[in-house]
Amino acid sequence: MLTPEFIAMISEGAEDIASELHGDIMRRVIERIMIRLGRGDDYLLTPIDKWQLEVLGDTGFLMESIGRDIAKATKLQMKEIKEAFEYAGIKSLEYDDVIYRAAGMSPSPLMESPHLIRLLERGYNATEH
């Protein structure tokens, strides 16, 4: 039987690991954003950045908090962060469409897919607050 002390120790260790992972992912994403800002690129997030941020969201970190962390580190406004999330989402879907078409599938256009529209809206709403 597991003692309460052992369970507490394990859960604290898991929280420490999750926090460390959050910090590592945020540092990498922000570093890449800063590089793009320095180059004058017209986009902030790539599909990999968006995916990594979604992974953080899936593990319980709030997109609102993630957006604030990015805004604080980059000195950007939340409006710019939201637009970057939107752009990355659209680009990610365009990339996916190429893969689906190469596999012989016919994906629906973004604006004709209620499921994809809901996903984008969820992302917009998560970064809006």
Side-chain angles (χ1 to χ4, degrees):
M1 181 171 142
L2 302 177
T3 66
E5 293 80 17
F6 180 77
I7 293 172
M9 180 184 71
I10 295 298
S11 66
E12 288 173 8
E15 287 177 20
D16 291 344
I17 291 169
S19 180
E20 191 176 313
L21 177 63
H22 172 262
D24 185 54
I25 290 173
M26 289 303 299
R27 274 190 298 281
R28 290 175 189 219
V29 169
I30 290 169
E31 180 180 301
R32 290 189 301 259
I33 289 172
M34 296 305 289
I35 290 169
R36 287 188 287 276
L37 286 172
R39 288 191 310 231
D41 290 345
D42 60 349
Y43 62 94
L44 294 180
L45 296 173
T46 63
I48 188 69
D49 296 328
K50 184 175 183 301
W51 177 76
Q52 287 183 325
L53 295 173
E54 285 175 356
V55 167
L56 285 179
D58 290 345
T59 60
F61 291 97
L62 300 175
M63 292 305 274
E64 174 184 337
S65 173
I66 293 168
R68 276 196 307 264
D69 288 351
I70 293 172
K72 181 180 174 183
T74 61
K75 309 293 188 236
L76 296 172
Q77 299 297 315
M78 286 303 294
K79 178 180 180 275
E80 294 171 292
I81 302 298
K82 179 183 172 191
E83 290 171 357
F85 273 79
E86 292 172 9
Y87 179 81
I90 290 168
K91 287 298 174 188
S92 179
L93 290 173
E94 288 174 359
Y95 176 79
D96 291 349
D97 278 357
V98 171
I99 294 169
Y100 293 138
R101 290 184 198 291
M105 301 171 77
S106 299
S108 300
L110 172 64
M111 298 315 283
E112 293 178 18
S113 171
H115 175 70
L116 292 176
I117 290 171
R118 279 193 304 275
L119 282 174
L120 284 176
E121 286 174 350
R122 190 182 94 194
Y124 301 158
N125 292 335
T127 59
E128 190 172 54
H129 302 288

mmCIF file of all heavy atoms in Angstrom, residues 81-129:
data_model
loop_
_atom_site.group_PDB
_atom_site.id
_atom_site.type_symbol
_atom_site.label_atom_id
_atom_site.label_comp_id
_atom_site.label_asym_id
_atom_site.label_seq_id
_atom_site.Cartn_x
_atom_site.Cartn_y
_atom_site.Cartn_z
ATOM 1 N N ILE A 81 -0.403 38.949 -30.082
ATOM 2 C CA ILE A 81 -0.250 37.535 -29.741
ATOM 3 C C ILE A 81 -1.428 36.751 -30.313
ATOM 4 O O ILE A 81 -1.240 35.684 -30.911
ATOM 5 C CB ILE A 81 -0.175 37.339 -28.208
ATOM 6 C CG1 ILE A 81 0.988 38.137 -27.598
ATOM 7 C CG2 ILE A 81 -0.090 35.861 -27.854
ATOM 8 C CD1 ILE A 81 2.358 37.738 -28.074
ATOM 9 N N LYS A 82 -2.634 37.268 -30.159
ATOM 10 C CA LYS A 82 -3.830 36.597 -30.684
ATOM 11 C C LYS A 82 -3.714 36.440 -32.195
ATOM 12 O O LYS A 82 -3.992 35.372 -32.745
ATOM 13 C CB LYS A 82 -5.081 37.391 -30.322
ATOM 14 C CG LYS A 82 -6.349 36.779 -30.856
ATOM 15 C CD LYS A 82 -7.557 37.643 -30.545
ATOM 16 C CE LYS A 82 -8.766 37.086 -31.257
ATOM 17 N NZ LYS A 82 -9.901 37.967 -31.237
ATOM 18 N N GLU A 83 -3.308 37.502 -32.882
ATOM 19 C CA GLU A 83 -3.151 37.429 -34.336
ATOM 20 C C GLU A 83 -2.104 36.392 -34.724
ATOM 21 O O GLU A 83 -2.269 35.675 -35.710
ATOM 22 C CB GLU A 83 -2.774 38.801 -34.894
ATOM 23 C CG GLU A 83 -3.910 39.807 -34.834
ATOM 24 C CD GLU A 83 -3.478 41.225 -35.182
ATOM 25 O OE1 GLU A 83 -2.264 41.458 -35.425
ATOM 26 O OE2 GLU A 83 -4.350 42.104 -35.184
ATOM 27 N N ALA A 84 -1.043 36.290 -33.944
ATOM 28 C CA ALA A 84 -0.009 35.293 -34.226
ATOM 29 C C ALA A 84 -0.555 33.878 -34.071
ATOM 30 O O ALA A 84 -0.258 33.001 -34.879
ATOM 31 C CB ALA A 84 1.193 35.508 -33.304
ATOM 32 N N PHE A 85 -1.367 33.654 -33.039
ATOM 33 C CA PHE A 85 -1.992 32.344 -32.852
ATOM 34 C C PHE A 85 -2.892 32.015 -34.037
ATOM 35 O O PHE A 85 -2.888 30.893 -34.538
ATOM 36 C CB PHE A 85 -2.811 32.307 -31.556
ATOM 37 C CG PHE A 85 -2.029 31.927 -30.344
ATOM 38 C CD1 PHE A 85 -1.223 32.844 -29.697
ATOM 39 C CD2 PHE A 85 -2.100 30.649 -29.830
ATOM 40 C CE1 PHE A 85 -0.510 32.511 -28.567
ATOM 41 C CE2 PHE A 85 -1.382 30.296 -28.693
ATOM 42 C CZ PHE A 85 -0.585 31.230 -28.059
ATOM 43 N N GLU A 86 -3.672 32.991 -34.479
ATOM 44 C CA GLU A 86 -4.571 32.780 -35.616
ATOM 45 C C GLU A 86 -3.776 32.432 -36.867
ATOM 46 O O GLU A 86 -4.097 31.481 -37.582
ATOM 47 C CB GLU A 86 -5.417 34.029 -35.868
ATOM 48 C CG GLU A 86 -6.422 34.311 -34.778
ATOM 49 C CD GLU A 86 -7.105 35.659 -34.951
ATOM 50 O OE1 GLU A 86 -6.925 36.311 -35.998
ATOM 51 O OE2 GLU A 86 -7.829 36.055 -34.026
ATOM 52 N N TYR A 87 -2.741 33.198 -37.131
ATOM 53 C CA TYR A 87 -1.917 32.980 -38.322
ATOM 54 C C TYR A 87 -1.269 31.596 -38.273
ATOM 55 O O TYR A 87 -1.274 30.853 -39.257
ATOM 56 C CB TYR A 87 -0.857 34.081 -38.413
ATOM 57 C CG TYR A 87 0.072 33.938 -39.597
ATOM 58 C CD1 TYR A 87 -0.327 34.371 -40.851
ATOM 59 C CD2 TYR A 87 1.330 33.368 -39.460
ATOM 60 C CE1 TYR A 87 0.518 34.252 -41.950
ATOM 61 C CE2 TYR A 87 2.176 33.234 -40.544
ATOM 62 C CZ TYR A 87 1.767 33.679 -41.782
ATOM 63 O OH TYR A 87 2.596 33.543 -42.861
ATOM 64 N N ALA A 88 -0.727 31.235 -37.114
ATOM 65 C CA ALA A 88 -0.080 29.928 -36.981
ATOM 66 C C ALA A 88 -1.094 28.805 -37.178
ATOM 67 O O ALA A 88 -0.785 27.784 -37.804
ATOM 68 C CB ALA A 88 0.588 29.797 -35.614
ATOM 69 N N GLY A 89 -2.305 28.990 -36.674
ATOM 70 C CA GLY A 89 -3.338 27.981 -36.854
ATOM 71 C C GLY A 89 -3.690 27.785 -38.319
ATOM 72 O O GLY A 89 -3.815 26.655 -38.801
ATOM 73 N N ILE A 90 -3.828 28.869 -39.036
ATOM 74 C CA ILE A 90 -4.159 28.790 -40.466
ATOM 75 C C ILE A 90 -3.016 28.146 -41.241
ATOM 76 O O ILE A 90 -3.236 27.266 -42.081
ATOM 77 C CB ILE A 90 -4.507 30.195 -41.011
ATOM 78 C CG1 ILE A 90 -5.851 30.648 -40.416
ATOM 79 C CG2 ILE A 90 -4.543 30.205 -42.532
ATOM 80 C CD1 ILE A 90 -6.166 32.105 -40.633
ATOM 81 N N LYS A 91 -1.787 28.549 -40.966
ATOM 82 C CA LYS A 91 -0.638 27.964 -41.654
ATOM 83 C C LYS A 91 -0.503 26.477 -41.348
ATOM 84 O O LYS A 91 -0.167 25.679 -42.224
ATOM 85 C CB LYS A 91 0.660 28.697 -41.281
ATOM 86 C CG LYS A 91 0.773 30.055 -41.896
ATOM 87 C CD LYS A 91 0.791 29.921 -43.404
ATOM 88 C CE LYS A 91 0.768 31.248 -44.087
ATOM 89 N NZ LYS A 91 0.584 31.119 -45.538
ATOM 90 N N SER A 92 -0.762 26.114 -40.117
ATOM 91 C CA SER A 92 -0.697 24.710 -39.737
ATOM 92 C C SER A 92 -1.718 23.894 -40.517
ATOM 93 O O SER A 92 -1.418 22.798 -41.010
ATOM 94 C CB SER A 92 -0.946 24.578 -38.231
ATOM 95 O OG SER A 92 -0.911 23.238 -37.839
ATOM 96 N N LEU A 93 -2.923 24.428 -40.666
ATOM 97 C CA LEU A 93 -3.955 23.734 -41.430
ATOM 98 C C LEU A 93 -3.584 23.639 -42.909
ATOM 99 O O LEU A 93 -3.840 22.620 -43.555
ATOM 100 C CB LEU A 93 -5.303 24.437 -41.260
ATOM 101 C CG LEU A 93 -5.921 24.317 -39.881
ATOM 102 C CD1 LEU A 93 -7.165 25.183 -39.765
ATOM 103 C CD2 LEU A 93 -6.252 22.872 -39.548
ATOM 104 N N GLU A 94 -2.977 24.683 -43.444
ATOM 105 C CA GLU A 94 -2.533 24.633 -44.844
ATOM 106 C C GLU A 94 -1.499 23.529 -45.036
ATOM 107 O O GLU A 94 -1.533 22.793 -46.016
ATOM 108 C CB GLU A 94 -1.948 25.983 -45.265
ATOM 109 C CG GLU A 94 -2.980 27.069 -45.444
ATOM 110 C CD GLU A 94 -2.362 28.431 -45.727
ATOM 111 O OE1 GLU A 94 -1.103 28.553 -45.764
ATOM 112 O OE2 GLU A 94 -3.129 29.395 -45.901
ATOM 113 N N TYR A 95 -0.583 23.409 -44.097
ATOM 114 C CA TYR A 95 0.442 22.367 -44.152
ATOM 115 C C TYR A 95 -0.211 20.984 -44.086
ATOM 116 O O TYR A 95 0.133 20.081 -44.846
ATOM 117 C CB TYR A 95 1.432 22.556 -42.998
ATOM 118 C CG TYR A 95 2.471 21.472 -42.909
ATOM 119 C CD1 TYR A 95 3.573 21.466 -43.757
ATOM 120 C CD2 TYR A 95 2.349 20.439 -41.977
ATOM 121 C CE1 TYR A 95 4.526 20.462 -43.675
ATOM 122 C CE2 TYR A 95 3.296 19.441 -41.896
ATOM 123 C CZ TYR A 95 4.385 19.457 -42.748
ATOM 124 O OH TYR A 95 5.315 18.460 -42.671
ATOM 125 N N ASP A 96 -1.170 20.840 -43.161
ATOM 126 C CA ASP A 96 -1.878 19.568 -43.033
ATOM 127 C C ASP A 96 -2.619 19.204 -44.313
ATOM 128 O O ASP A 96 -2.653 18.035 -44.712
ATOM 129 C CB ASP A 96 -2.876 19.609 -41.867
ATOM 130 C CG ASP A 96 -2.197 19.654 -40.506
ATOM 131 O OD1 ASP A 96 -0.968 19.437 -40.442
ATOM 132 O OD2 ASP A 96 -2.902 19.915 -39.509
ATOM 133 N N ASP A 97 -3.225 20.201 -44.957
ATOM 134 C CA ASP A 97 -3.961 19.948 -46.204
ATOM 135 C C ASP A 97 -3.060 19.334 -47.274
ATOM 136 O O ASP A 97 -3.477 18.435 -47.999
ATOM 137 C CB ASP A 97 -4.591 21.235 -46.737
ATOM 138 C CG ASP A 97 -5.909 21.576 -46.061
ATOM 139 O OD1 ASP A 97 -6.366 20.785 -45.213
ATOM 140 O OD2 ASP A 97 -6.482 22.628 -46.387
ATOM 141 N N VAL A 98 -1.836 19.817 -47.366
ATOM 142 C CA VAL A 98 -0.888 19.277 -48.347
ATOM 143 C C VAL A 98 -0.658 17.786 -48.081
ATOM 144 O O VAL A 98 -0.655 16.961 -49.000
ATOM 145 C CB VAL A 98 0.451 20.057 -48.307
ATOM 146 C CG1 VAL A 98 1.509 19.383 -49.144
ATOM 147 C CG2 VAL A 98 0.241 21.490 -48.776
ATOM 148 N N ILE A 99 -0.497 17.436 -46.818
ATOM 149 C CA ILE A 99 -0.273 16.034 -46.438
ATOM 150 C C ILE A 99 -1.503 15.193 -46.769
ATOM 151 O O ILE A 99 -1.388 14.104 -47.341
ATOM 152 C CB ILE A 99 0.092 15.933 -44.945
ATOM 153 C CG1 ILE A 99 1.451 16.601 -44.702
ATOM 154 C CG2 ILE A 99 0.102 14.482 -44.479
ATOM 155 C CD1 ILE A 99 1.806 16.797 -43.254
ATOM 156 N N TYR A 100 -2.678 15.702 -46.426
ATOM 157 C CA TYR A 100 -3.915 14.955 -46.714
ATOM 158 C C TYR A 100 -4.092 14.740 -48.213
ATOM 159 O O TYR A 100 -4.454 13.648 -48.657
ATOM 160 C CB TYR A 100 -5.143 15.681 -46.150
ATOM 161 C CG TYR A 100 -5.190 15.722 -44.645
ATOM 162 C CD1 TYR A 100 -5.571 16.880 -43.982
ATOM 163 C CD2 TYR A 100 -4.865 14.611 -43.873
ATOM 164 C CE1 TYR A 100 -5.628 16.924 -42.599
ATOM 165 C CE2 TYR A 100 -4.908 14.648 -42.502
ATOM 166 C CZ TYR A 100 -5.304 15.816 -41.868
ATOM 167 O OH TYR A 100 -5.353 15.855 -40.504
ATOM 168 N N ARG A 101 -3.839 15.784 -49.000
ATOM 169 C CA ARG A 101 -3.999 15.668 -50.452
ATOM 170 C C ARG A 101 -2.981 14.671 -51.032
ATOM 171 O O ARG A 101 -3.306 13.897 -51.924
ATOM 172 C CB ARG A 101 -3.882 17.030 -51.107
ATOM 173 C CG ARG A 101 -5.059 17.932 -50.797
ATOM 174 C CD ARG A 101 -4.999 19.266 -51.515
ATOM 175 N NE ARG A 101 -5.872 20.252 -50.923
ATOM 176 C CZ ARG A 101 -7.198 20.222 -50.958
ATOM 177 N NH1 ARG A 101 -7.807 19.241 -51.561
ATOM 178 N NH2 ARG A 101 -7.907 21.168 -50.378
ATOM 179 N N ALA A 102 -1.768 14.685 -50.507
ATOM 180 C CA ALA A 102 -0.745 13.739 -50.968
ATOM 181 C C ALA A 102 -1.148 12.301 -50.647
ATOM 182 O O ALA A 102 -0.762 11.374 -51.361
ATOM 183 C CB ALA A 102 0.604 14.065 -50.324
ATOM 184 N N ALA A 103 -1.950 12.133 -49.598
ATOM 185 C CA ALA A 103 -2.421 10.801 -49.217
ATOM 186 C C ALA A 103 -3.705 10.417 -49.957
ATOM 187 O O ALA A 103 -4.296 9.384 -49.680
ATOM 188 C CB ALA A 103 -2.656 10.744 -47.713
ATOM 189 N N GLY A 104 -4.125 11.286 -50.893
ATOM 190 C CA GLY A 104 -5.316 10.989 -51.682
ATOM 191 C C GLY A 104 -6.617 11.398 -51.029
ATOM 192 O O GLY A 104 -7.696 11.033 -51.503
ATOM 193 N N MET A 105 -6.548 12.174 -49.962
ATOM 194 C CA MET A 105 -7.753 12.625 -49.274
ATOM 195 C C MET A 105 -8.142 14.007 -49.788
ATOM 196 O O MET A 105 -7.331 14.698 -50.403
ATOM 197 C CB MET A 105 -7.519 12.664 -47.763
ATOM 198 C CG MET A 105 -7.123 11.309 -47.184
ATOM 199 S SD MET A 105 -6.592 11.410 -45.477
ATOM 200 C CE MET A 105 -8.160 11.576 -44.665
ATOM 201 N N SER A 106 -9.371 14.399 -49.527
ATOM 202 C CA SER A 106 -9.868 15.716 -49.945
ATOM 203 C C SER A 106 -10.391 16.466 -48.724
ATOM 204 O O SER A 106 -11.585 16.420 -48.414
ATOM 205 C CB SER A 106 -10.996 15.564 -50.972
ATOM 206 O OG SER A 106 -10.531 14.906 -52.104
ATOM 207 N N PRO A 107 -9.502 17.174 -48.011
ATOM 208 C CA PRO A 107 -9.952 17.898 -46.821
ATOM 209 C C PRO A 107 -10.875 19.054 -47.200
ATOM 210 O O PRO A 107 -10.730 19.653 -48.262
ATOM 211 C CB PRO A 107 -8.658 18.406 -46.191
ATOM 212 C CG PRO A 107 -7.672 18.420 -47.295
ATOM 213 C CD PRO A 107 -8.075 17.347 -48.258
ATOM 214 N N SER A 108 -11.822 19.342 -46.321
ATOM 215 C CA SER A 108 -12.730 20.467 -46.534
ATOM 216 C C SER A 108 -11.974 21.774 -46.368
ATOM 217 O O SER A 108 -11.071 21.863 -45.530
ATOM 218 C CB SER A 108 -13.865 20.441 -45.512
ATOM 219 O OG SER A 108 -14.596 19.256 -45.610
ATOM 220 N N PRO A 109 -12.358 22.792 -47.128
ATOM 221 C CA PRO A 109 -11.766 24.117 -46.889
ATOM 222 C C PRO A 109 -12.056 24.562 -45.454
ATOM 223 O O PRO A 109 -13.095 24.205 -44.876
ATOM 224 C CB PRO A 109 -12.477 25.013 -47.902
ATOM 225 C CG PRO A 109 -12.960 24.089 -48.966
ATOM 226 C CD PRO A 109 -13.270 22.799 -48.265
ATOM 227 N N LEU A 110 -11.158 25.324 -44.907
ATOM 228 C CA LEU A 110 -11.244 25.740 -43.517
ATOM 229 C C LEU A 110 -12.607 26.314 -43.166
ATOM 230 O O LEU A 110 -13.235 25.902 -42.197
ATOM 231 C CB LEU A 110 -10.146 26.772 -43.212
ATOM 232 C CG LEU A 110 -10.211 27.466 -41.858
ATOM 233 C CD1 LEU A 110 -10.028 26.458 -40.739
ATOM 234 C CD2 LEU A 110 -9.175 28.558 -41.761
ATOM 235 N N MET A 111 -13.086 27.264 -43.947
ATOM 236 C CA MET A 111 -14.325 27.953 -43.601
ATOM 237 C C MET A 111 -15.574 27.110 -43.866
ATOM 238 O O MET A 111 -16.673 27.534 -43.551
ATOM 239 C CB MET A 111 -14.403 29.294 -44.326
ATOM 240 C CG MET A 111 -13.266 30.253 -43.944
ATOM 241 S SD MET A 111 -12.918 30.341 -42.165
ATOM 242 C CE MET A 111 -14.261 31.354 -41.621
ATOM 243 N N GLU A 112 -15.415 25.920 -44.410
ATOM 244 C CA GLU A 112 -16.549 25.025 -44.631
ATOM 245 C C GLU A 112 -16.573 23.873 -43.624
ATOM 246 O O GLU A 112 -17.421 22.998 -43.714
ATOM 247 C CB GLU A 112 -16.507 24.462 -46.052
ATOM 248 C CG GLU A 112 -16.747 25.509 -47.118
ATOM 249 C CD GLU A 112 -16.648 24.936 -48.521
ATOM 250 O OE1 GLU A 112 -16.738 23.706 -48.689
ATOM 251 O OE2 GLU A 112 -16.458 25.731 -49.451
ATOM 252 N N SER A 113 -15.652 23.887 -42.697
ATOM 253 C CA SER A 113 -15.571 22.823 -41.704
ATOM 254 C C SER A 113 -15.969 23.353 -40.329
ATOM 255 O O SER A 113 -15.190 24.070 -39.693
ATOM 256 C CB SER A 113 -14.149 22.260 -41.641
ATOM 257 O OG SER A 113 -14.025 21.381 -40.551
ATOM 258 N N PRO A 114 -17.168 22.997 -39.854
ATOM 259 C CA PRO A 114 -17.588 23.465 -38.525
ATOM 260 C C PRO A 114 -16.604 23.061 -37.420
ATOM 261 O O PRO A 114 -16.349 23.832 -36.506
ATOM 262 C CB PRO A 114 -18.942 22.787 -38.310
ATOM 263 C CG PRO A 114 -19.428 22.456 -39.674
ATOM 264 C CD PRO A 114 -18.193 22.194 -40.497
ATOM 265 N N HIS A 115 -16.034 21.870 -37.543
ATOM 266 C CA HIS A 115 -15.080 21.403 -36.529
ATOM 267 C C HIS A 115 -13.833 22.297 -36.497
ATOM 268 O O HIS A 115 -13.385 22.719 -35.422
ATOM 269 C CB HIS A 115 -14.687 19.954 -36.804
ATOM 270 C CG HIS A 115 -13.627 19.439 -35.896
ATOM 271 N ND1 HIS A 115 -13.842 19.198 -34.562
ATOM 272 C CD2 HIS A 115 -12.319 19.140 -36.125
ATOM 273 C CE1 HIS A 115 -12.713 18.775 -34.006
ATOM 274 N NE2 HIS A 115 -11.788 18.720 -34.926
ATOM 275 N N LEU A 116 -13.268 22.596 -37.664
ATOM 276 C CA LEU A 116 -12.069 23.430 -37.704
ATOM 277 C C LEU A 116 -12.368 24.857 -37.264
ATOM 278 O O LEU A 116 -11.554 25.487 -36.581
ATOM 279 C CB LEU A 116 -11.462 23.420 -39.114
ATOM 280 C CG LEU A 116 -10.872 22.081 -39.552
ATOM 281 C CD1 LEU A 116 -10.383 22.163 -40.992
ATOM 282 C CD2 LEU A 116 -9.745 21.657 -38.631
ATOM 283 N N ILE A 117 -13.536 25.360 -37.617
ATOM 284 C CA ILE A 117 -13.917 26.706 -37.183
ATOM 285 C C ILE A 117 -14.017 26.755 -35.665
ATOM 286 O O ILE A 117 -13.534 27.696 -35.032
ATOM 287 C CB ILE A 117 -15.241 27.144 -37.853
ATOM 288 C CG1 ILE A 117 -15.002 27.375 -39.348
ATOM 289 C CG2 ILE A 117 -15.786 28.412 -37.201
ATOM 290 C CD1 ILE A 117 -16.260 27.605 -40.158
ATOM 291 N N ARG A 118 -14.613 25.715 -35.052
ATOM 292 C CA ARG A 118 -14.704 25.665 -33.589
ATOM 293 C C ARG A 118 -13.314 25.600 -32.957
ATOM 294 O O ARG A 118 -13.061 26.237 -31.931
ATOM 295 C CB ARG A 118 -15.549 24.477 -33.141
ATOM 296 C CG ARG A 118 -17.040 24.735 -33.217
ATOM 297 C CD ARG A 118 -17.845 23.677 -32.475
ATOM 298 N NE ARG A 118 -17.579 22.315 -32.928
ATOM 299 C CZ ARG A 118 -18.162 21.724 -33.966
ATOM 300 N NH1 ARG A 118 -19.052 22.375 -34.678
ATOM 301 N NH2 ARG A 118 -17.864 20.483 -34.304
ATOM 302 N N LEU A 119 -12.401 24.836 -33.570
ATOM 303 C CA LEU A 119 -11.035 24.776 -33.042
ATOM 304 C C LEU A 119 -10.364 26.141 -33.077
ATOM 305 O O LEU A 119 -9.719 26.564 -32.112
ATOM 306 C CB LEU A 119 -10.202 23.770 -33.839
ATOM 307 C CG LEU A 119 -10.416 22.303 -33.524
ATOM 308 C CD1 LEU A 119 -9.629 21.435 -34.503
ATOM 309 C CD2 LEU A 119 -10.013 21.989 -32.106
ATOM 310 N N LEU A 120 -10.502 26.838 -34.197
ATOM 311 C CA LEU A 120 -9.915 28.173 -34.293
ATOM 312 C C LEU A 120 -10.560 29.124 -33.296
ATOM 313 O O LEU A 120 -9.868 29.900 -32.631
ATOM 314 C CB LEU A 120 -10.065 28.721 -35.717
ATOM 315 C CG LEU A 120 -9.114 28.147 -36.750
ATOM 316 C CD1 LEU A 120 -9.439 28.694 -38.132
ATOM 317 C CD2 LEU A 120 -7.668 28.442 -36.399
ATOM 318 N N GLU A 121 -11.885 29.068 -33.168
ATOM 319 C CA GLU A 121 -12.569 29.933 -32.212
ATOM 320 C C GLU A 121 -12.106 29.660 -30.791
ATOM 321 O O GLU A 121 -11.923 30.584 -30.001
ATOM 322 C CB GLU A 121 -14.085 29.740 -32.310
ATOM 323 C CG GLU A 121 -14.684 30.377 -33.549
ATOM 324 C CD GLU A 121 -16.160 30.066 -33.727
ATOM 325 O OE1 GLU A 121 -16.697 29.192 -32.991
ATOM 326 O OE2 GLU A 121 -16.775 30.688 -34.607
ATOM 327 N N ARG A 122 -11.910 28.379 -30.470
ATOM 328 C CA ARG A 122 -11.420 28.021 -29.140
ATOM 329 C C ARG A 122 -10.049 28.651 -28.891
ATOM 330 O O ARG A 122 -9.774 29.198 -27.835
ATOM 331 C CB ARG A 122 -11.351 26.516 -28.980
ATOM 332 C CG ARG A 122 -11.091 26.084 -27.544
ATOM 333 C CD ARG A 122 -10.981 24.594 -27.451
ATOM 334 N NE ARG A 122 -9.558 24.289 -27.562
ATOM 335 C CZ ARG A 122 -9.056 23.095 -27.787
ATOM 336 N NH1 ARG A 122 -9.826 22.073 -27.968
ATOM 337 N NH2 ARG A 122 -7.753 22.925 -27.853
ATOM 338 N N GLY A 123 -9.201 28.580 -29.903
ATOM 339 C CA GLY A 123 -7.883 29.191 -29.773
ATOM 340 C C GLY A 123 -7.966 30.702 -29.641
ATOM 341 O O GLY A 123 -7.270 31.307 -28.830
ATOM 342 N N TYR A 124 -8.851 31.340 -30.423
ATOM 343 C CA TYR A 124 -9.022 32.786 -30.339
ATOM 344 C C TYR A 124 -9.482 33.178 -28.940
ATOM 345 O O TYR A 124 -8.938 34.099 -28.323
ATOM 346 C CB TYR A 124 -10.076 33.296 -31.325
ATOM 347 C CG TYR A 124 -9.838 33.013 -32.781
ATOM 348 C CD1 TYR A 124 -10.900 33.020 -33.670
ATOM 349 C CD2 TYR A 124 -8.576 32.743 -33.288
ATOM 350 C CE1 TYR A 124 -10.721 32.749 -35.021
ATOM 351 C CE2 TYR A 124 -8.395 32.468 -34.637
ATOM 352 C CZ TYR A 124 -9.461 32.482 -35.491
ATOM 353 O OH TYR A 124 -9.282 32.226 -36.824
ATOM 354 N N ASN A 125 -10.509 32.477 -28.467
ATOM 355 C CA ASN A 125 -11.077 32.793 -27.158
ATOM 356 C C ASN A 125 -10.065 32.582 -26.038
ATOM 357 O O ASN A 125 -10.029 33.334 -25.080
ATOM 358 C CB ASN A 125 -12.343 31.961 -26.895
ATOM 359 C CG ASN A 125 -13.473 32.353 -27.808
ATOM 360 O OD1 ASN A 125 -13.531 33.476 -28.305
ATOM 361 N ND2 ASN A 125 -14.362 31.443 -28.059
ATOM 362 N N ALA A 126 -9.250 31.559 -26.174
ATOM 363 C CA ALA A 126 -8.263 31.266 -25.127
ATOM 364 C C ALA A 126 -7.207 32.353 -25.033
ATOM 365 O O ALA A 126 -6.695 32.622 -23.958
ATOM 366 C CB ALA A 126 -7.604 29.924 -25.403
ATOM 367 N N THR A 127 -6.881 32.987 -26.147
ATOM 368 C CA THR A 127 -5.851 34.029 -26.105
ATOM 369 C C THR A 127 -6.439 35.405 -25.881
ATOM 370 O O THR A 127 -5.719 36.355 -25.629
ATOM 371 C CB THR A 127 -5.042 34.052 -27.419
ATOM 372 O OG1 THR A 127 -5.933 34.291 -28.502
ATOM 373 C CG2 THR A 127 -4.285 32.772 -27.604
ATOM 374 N N GLU A 128 -7.752 35.524 -25.935
ATOM 375 C CA GLU A 128 -8.412 36.822 -25.859
ATOM 376 C C GLU A 128 -8.474 37.368 -24.442
ATOM 377 O O GLU A 128 -8.455 38.554 -24.224
ATOM 378 C CB GLU A 128 -9.821 36.676 -26.425
ATOM 379 C CG GLU A 128 -10.542 37.972 -26.638
ATOM 380 C CD GLU A 128 -11.825 37.741 -27.374
ATOM 381 O OE1 GLU A 128 -12.640 36.923 -26.935
ATOM 382 O OE2 GLU A 128 -12.004 38.404 -28.402
ATOM 383 N N HIS A 129 -8.553 36.506 -23.475
ATOM 384 C CA HIS A 129 -8.797 36.949 -22.088
ATOM 385 C C HIS A 129 -7.530 37.185 -21.330
ATOM 386 O O HIS A 129 -6.535 36.683 -21.446
ATOM 387 C CB HIS A 129 -9.648 35.923 -21.354
ATOM 388 C CG HIS A 129 -10.952 35.686 -22.048
ATOM 389 N ND1 HIS A 129 -11.949 36.613 -22.044
ATOM 390 C CD2 HIS A 129 -11.406 34.650 -22.769
ATOM 391 C CE1 HIS A 129 -12.983 36.141 -22.721
ATOM 392 N NE2 HIS A 129 -12.672 34.948 -23.180
#
